[in-house]
Amino acid sequence: MADIPAFTPVHLLTGFLGSGKTTLLKRLLADPALADTAVLINEFGEVGLDHHLVERIDDTMVLLQSGCVCCTVRGELADALKDLHSKRDLGLVPPFTRVVIESTGLADPFPVLSTLKSDPVLRHHFRAGSVVTTVDAVNGLRQLETYVESNRQVAIADRIVVTKTDLSATGTSALLSRLAELNPDASTHIASDEGPDAETLLAEDHRGAKLQSVSGFYCDAPATLQTAEGVAHTTAISSFVITVQDPIDWTGFGVWLTMLLNCHGERVLRVKGILHLAGEERPVAVHGVQHLVHPPVHLEAWPSSDRSSRLVFIVDGLDTNLLKRSFSAFALPGQAQGRLPQEAAVGVQNA
């Protein structure tokens, strides 16, 4: 019998219309690594589960040969998750240890994640896991230049899967470059008949020690988001980096980040950083997606002699200068005495 985690991770599979989510999910459902997984999808027929079907549990749930429990979401996502949790407790479904949700192609992915935090029952049993986003190699660049939903899906991804590369006449180099600008610290995978596999996509090693690159952090350079013609991007999404030489006050930083996300969480698509805290020898990694902030991780050591803090933001239309000033006022000792951000050695690189 599987060991049921205290908080079951909920992974999100998202991507724009026609980007290959369903094709990827269909292949993953046959992967033995998903044997202890519950999968929530829009409709069984869309994924084509007939040849995988072992048993129909009720009109919304089926048990697959791989061991997965598949459910259709009818109505509220919160209700579907509560129903799954109840059936697991009663022994009516196999004891799954993770949940995978396939979102609709036009959905802003964050409401799915926010459901876990906003519902008082769910937040005591589930937690946010990885976000996997599919991007179509044929149409991905155009969609990123046109649709804000496509940008948001990429910006919050922990892993990006590029699909249909065999159908792209121009290759994928321009698309891969754009994805790296929009979300530099997401790992990118090319879809094929063999991979990537479920263990790779749903592993939760994207936080903690792997936040660091050789130079100290994955997002060392800010994004410069432009269209293929070199003009301003049609969305207001951009990235910027705050670099701080002085130690950061943890309490002040926590108050600042909480206030920022309470006021503008929908527009802070991602914040990720490595911090030098006052009174701490080891660096601390922080990671948040909109209103959701994951527990901070104490890293074993600094990757180099550089003790600078770096915070990387991907935002939708926020004023970076105001963010810099408010950060300095709350998180840097001495700001209350009137020191300006420049005097506190805060640098902001804008997209």
Side-chain angles (χ1 to χ4, degrees), residues 188-199:
T188 303
H189 309 266
I190 303 299
S192 68
D193 291 339
E194 291 76 33
D197 58 24
E199 285 187 329

Side-chain angles (χ1 to χ4, degrees), residues 133-274:
T133 298
T134 53
V135 179
D136 178 352
V138 178
N139 300 306
L141 274 176
R142 180 182 57 81
Q143 291 166 349
L144 288 169
E145 292 169 4
T146 307
Y147 301 103
V148 67
E149 294 87 356
S150 179
N151 284 267
R152 284 176 168 263
Q153 290 164 355
V154 168
I156 75 163
D158 297 301
R159 292 178 175 84
I160 299 170
V161 179
V162 179
T163 63
K164 306 180 185 178
T165 55
D166 56 326
L167 302 178
S168 175
T170 59
T172 61
S173 59
L175 175 60
L176 292 175
S177 177
R178 183 64 54 81
L179 295 173
E181 290 176 345
L182 185 56
N183 189 345
D185 58 352
S187 60
T188 303
H189 309 266
I190 303 299
S192 68
D193 291 339
E194 291 76 33
D197 58 24
E199 285 187 329
T200 298
L201 293 181
L202 302 183
E204 295 187 73
D205 59 358
H206 53 274
R207 305 185 187 108
K210 292 197 175 182
L211 287 167
Q212 299 178 80
S213 64
V214 173
S215 57
F217 196 67
Y218 281 151
C219 303
D220 292 311
T224 302
L225 298 179
Q226 295 180 329
T227 67
E229 291 74 30
V231 298
H233 201 280
T234 53
T235 72
I237 294 174
S238 62
S239 78
F240 67 95
V241 183
I242 295 179
T243 304
V244 184
Q245 305 300 326
D246 292 350
I248 291 174
D249 178 73
W250 176 247
T251 300
F253 172 80
V255 171
W256 173 77
L257 185 60
T258 299
M259 293 176 64
L260 173 65
L261 298 184
N262 280 340
C263 293
H264 302 295
E266 291 80 5
R267 300 170 70 186
V268 180
L269 303 184
R270 181 178 288 271
V271 56
K272 204 167 188 179
I274 180 171

Side-chain angles (χ1 to χ4, degrees), residues 11-246:
H11 305 282
L12 177 63
L13 174 60
T14 186
F16 204 68
L17 290 170
S19 63
K21 293 188 307 298
T22 301
T23 301
L24 176 62
L25 178 61
K26 183 177 179 179
R27 181 173 61 77
L28 292 178
L29 287 174
D31 191 329
L34 286 188
D36 55 351
T37 302
V39 181
L40 274 66
I41 56 181
N42 294 316
E43 289 293 341
F44 293 142
E46 296 176 3
V47 185
L49 297 177
D50 290 346
H51 64 292
H52 292 306
L53 182 61
V54 170
E55 177 185 357
R56 181 171 289 275
I57 298 171
D58 57 31
D59 63 343
T60 65
M61 292 187 184
V62 294
L63 179 63
L64 305 187
Q65 291 175 353
S66 63
C68 304
V69 177
C70 272
C71 315
T72 55
V73 181
R74 297 179 183 175
E76 294 295 326
L77 174 62
D79 293 338
L81 286 170
K82 290 173 188 175
D83 187 40
L84 265 175
H85 180 266
S86 175
K87 282 184 166 63
R88 182 177 64 181
D89 279 355
L90 294 172
L92 300 178
V93 298
F96 58 89
T97 63
R98 70 173 70 87
V99 177
V100 173
I101 299 172
E102 182 194 12
S103 71
T104 60
L106 284 174
D108 182 337
F110 180 70
V112 175
L113 299 176
S114 65
T115 297
L116 304 178
K117 181 178 180 180
S118 60
D119 189 285
V121 175
L122 295 182
R123 66 171 174 256
H124 284 92
H125 300 292
F126 296 93
R127 62 178 177 84
S130 301
V131 177
V132 179
T133 298
T134 53
V135 179
D136 178 352
V138 178
N139 300 306
L141 274 176
R142 180 182 57 81
Q143 291 166 349
L144 288 169
E145 292 169 4
T146 307
Y147 301 103
V148 67
E149 294 87 356
S150 179
N151 284 267
R152 284 176 168 263
Q153 290 164 355
V154 168
I156 75 163
D158 297 301
R159 292 178 175 84
I160 299 170
V161 179
V162 179
T163 63
K164 306 180 185 178
T165 55
D166 56 326
L167 302 178
S168 175
T170 59
T172 61
S173 59
L175 175 60
L176 292 175
S177 177
R178 183 64 54 81
L179 295 173
E181 290 176 345
L182 185 56
N183 189 345
D185 58 352
S187 60
T188 303
H189 309 266
I190 303 299
S192 68
D193 291 339
E194 291 76 33
D197 58 24
E199 285 187 329
T200 298
L201 293 181
L202 302 183
E204 295 187 73
D205 59 358
H206 53 274
R207 305 185 187 108
K210 292 197 175 182
L211 287 167
Q212 299 178 80
S213 64
V214 173
S215 57
F217 196 67
Y218 281 151
C219 303
D220 292 311
T224 302
L225 298 179
Q226 295 180 329
T227 67
E229 291 74 30
V231 298
H233 201 280
T234 53
T235 72
I237 294 174
S238 62
S239 78
F240 67 95
V241 183
I242 295 179
T243 304
V244 184
Q245 305 300 326
D246 292 350

